[in-house]
Amino acid sequence: MKFRTIRATSTAVVLTGMLCTLATAPAQAATPVGWEGAALSLSAAQQLSQGDGVTVAVLDSGVYADHPALKGKVTTGPDFFKDGLKAGDPKWGQHGTAMASDVLKVAPKAKILSVRVIDDKHEEERTQEELEEAFRKGNNPIADGINYAVQNGADVISMSLGSDNLFSSYDEDEAAALAYAARRGVTVLASAGNAGDVLNGASYPAGYAGVIAVAATQQNGTRADFSSVHTYNDVAAPGVDIISATNAGGYRQGNGTSPACALAAGVVALMKAKNPKLTPAQVNSVLTATTHRPAGGGSAVLGYGRINAAAAVKAAASPPEDKTAPVAYKGKEHLATPDGTPKTTHPEMDQSLWLTGLIAAGVGLALLAGGVLLALSGRRKPTPQAPSLMRPQGSYPG
């Protein structure tokens, strides 16, 4: 993602993926399908469903709706990022157009709802003035975009964006918007993050409860080097050498957990078209139960494994029972009726122990501060309240 207001300054790490530009070919009616088609068992899945009647909200940098692969399939929503760029500008819609084409590559009869919540810049390309201006706006485009998508008919929300921050960037507005989406039965997916070969920091929105976090695989089925390794990973999808549409009308090849998320969102659209009554919990259960399980089972590397679209669509017709339900808040301090059980208490810690721990903690913080200052030396230093801006989780520059 590009924008997030947080209470502490965060250091963001950006993976710069390699990009190979394809020669601009004559206009095509659909985005070319590469190795990801066989990896996802896409042909068999599309014999069962095409995504008819399903709307996928692509929360991104905007979508070039007149691209031959997208024409007639995109509804353009509001621009919550509000940076003054408009459709037609070469800096508008690079990443979002690619993601919309990846969704439709999987679910060709689905509809796209484009909601602009980020731009196409990476954080290191931003000036200090741009960071401060984003902070002064005070809005949260991600939360606004989720709420808008839910209120305007989205069945699935795809967010190929993330923060990859060293420190947590949890946001209450976004969590509330995601809870609203869950209550309304809207399935939400997000890219797991592209910091896998650096820090594997937490990436939001993938890290929020209820969001299906999608990691990226390479052609042999193993984790792509950049794909973040984290306990919130649910499933994986192809994310290397994926051909996607550009905002100039052509096609381009790129890498990232961005295309992996968009492809996964397309699979969910196939599932929802097959069974419109699927709840978010059922979608997650079916996806994770039908994957190509990695050796050793599920892990923080690829979650429960690479998606099998054909198996997922077939299983969507008879999903497991959804046992999730809202829990009423009762009592002043507990989620259930208080029964007189006292709070847990602990004996006082021996003074020498806590003093030793306090001193050790102080030394550790001093060393950490020194390391951070050294790492930031010579680089642009943000103000104490500068936001950590969200960004696309893929390499799709113009």
Side-chain angles (χ1 to χ4, degrees):
M1 288 177 274
K2 288 284 183 177
F3 176 92
R4 182 183 300 281
T5 302
I6 58 176
R7 295 176 177 80
T9 301
S10 299
T11 300
V13 178
V14 177
L15 172 73
T16 303
M18 295 185 64
L19 182 68
C20 174
T21 304
L22 302 178
T24 302
Q28 300 181 39
T31 304
V33 178
W35 67 272
E36 67 275 17
L40 293 170
S41 300
L42 190 53
S43 178
Q46 290 178 341
Q47 292 179 24
L48 301 172
S49 174
Q50 295 274 310
D52 311 59
V54 176
T55 297
V56 180
V58 175
L59 272 57
D60 214 287
S61 63
V63 175
Y64 173 51
D66 288 333
H67 191 288
L70 307 177
K71 199 170 183 66
K73 300 178 180 180
V74 179
T75 298
T76 301
D79 181 354
F80 289 112
F81 194 69
K82 302 176 183 177
D83 60 352
L85 288 181
K86 301 295 182 183
D89 189 294
K91 297 180 180 179
W92 185 98
Q94 297 169 6
H95 191 262
T97 301
M99 297 306 99
S101 73
D102 288 337
V103 171
L104 293 176
K105 179 189 298 184
V106 177
K109 292 187 179 180
K111 297 293 185 181
I112 299 295
L113 172 61
S114 171
V115 185
R116 191 167 184 263
V117 298
I118 59 173
D119 66 3
D120 286 307
K121 288 186 178 181
H122 287 294
E123 185 163 345
E124 76 271 17
E125 297 171 340
R126 288 183 170 278
T127 65
Q128 180 63 30
E129 290 72 23
E130 287 176 316
L131 284 168
E132 293 174 353
E133 174 62 23
F135 179 70
R136 281 195 293 271
K137 288 177 183 177
N139 65 317
N140 186 323
I142 306 300
D144 292 344
I146 294 169
N147 287 325
Y148 178 87
V150 174
Q151 293 163 4
N152 287 271
D155 302 291
V156 183
I157 294 177
S158 179
M159 294 189 285
S160 292
L161 40 87
S163 56
D164 286 348
N165 290 323
L166 179 60
F167 301 104
S168 171
S169 49
Y170 178 95
D171 183 275
E172 292 182 358
D173 291 336
E174 292 171 12
L178 288 166
Y180 174 52
R183 291 195 302 271
R184 293 287 296 271
V186 179
T187 301
V188 182
L189 302 90
S191 49
N194 289 353
D197 60 350
V198 186
L199 290 174
N200 284 300
S203 179
Y204 290 92
Y208 289 115
V211 175
I212 298 174
V214 186
T217 71
Q218 49 192 339
Q219 292 192 33
N220 63 7
T222 61
R223 179 183 71 92
D225 292 343
F226 53 79
S227 184
S228 293
V229 178
H230 210 285
T231 53
Y232 56 65
N233 288 351
D234 293 296
V235 292
V240 176
D241 297 336
I242 307 300
I243 299 172
S244 308
T246 72
N247 63 346
Y251 298 92
R252 189 164 287 190
Q253 194 176 70
N255 307 323
T257 54
S258 278
C261 175
L263 292 170
V267 174
V268 174
L270 298 181
M271 295 167 62
K272 294 280 285 186
K274 185 71 173 179
N275 182 356
K277 295 182 179 180
L278 284 175
T279 67
Q282 288 175 323
V283 169
N284 185 69
S285 295
V286 170
L287 273 182
T288 56
T290 56
T291 58
H292 295 288
R293 292 294 174 100
S299 71
V301 177
L302 296 177
Y304 288 95
R306 190 170 66 196
I307 290 172
N308 182 334
V313 175
K314 189 177 297 185
S318 301
E321 181 184 356
D322 184 353
K323 297 182 179 180
T324 61
V327 177
Y329 179 81
K330 299 179 180 179
K332 295 181 179 179
E333 299 182 7
H334 308 278
L335 291 176
T337 303
D339 59 4
T341 304
K343 295 179 180 179
T344 302
T345 58
H346 299 279
E348 293 184 8
M349 183 180 288
D350 182 82
Q351 185 177 26
S352 62
L353 291 178
W354 68 260
L355 282 175
T356 301
L358 185 62
I359 293 171
V363 172
L365 287 173
L367 291 173
L368 177 61
V372 171
L373 289 174
L374 181 62
L376 296 179
S377 125
R379 296 172 58 189
R380 172 180 57 79
K381 297 178 175 59
T383 56
Q385 288 187 312
S388 171
L389 300 180
M390 297 300 136
R391 59 187 170 279
Q393 293 296 308
S395 52
Y396 291 88

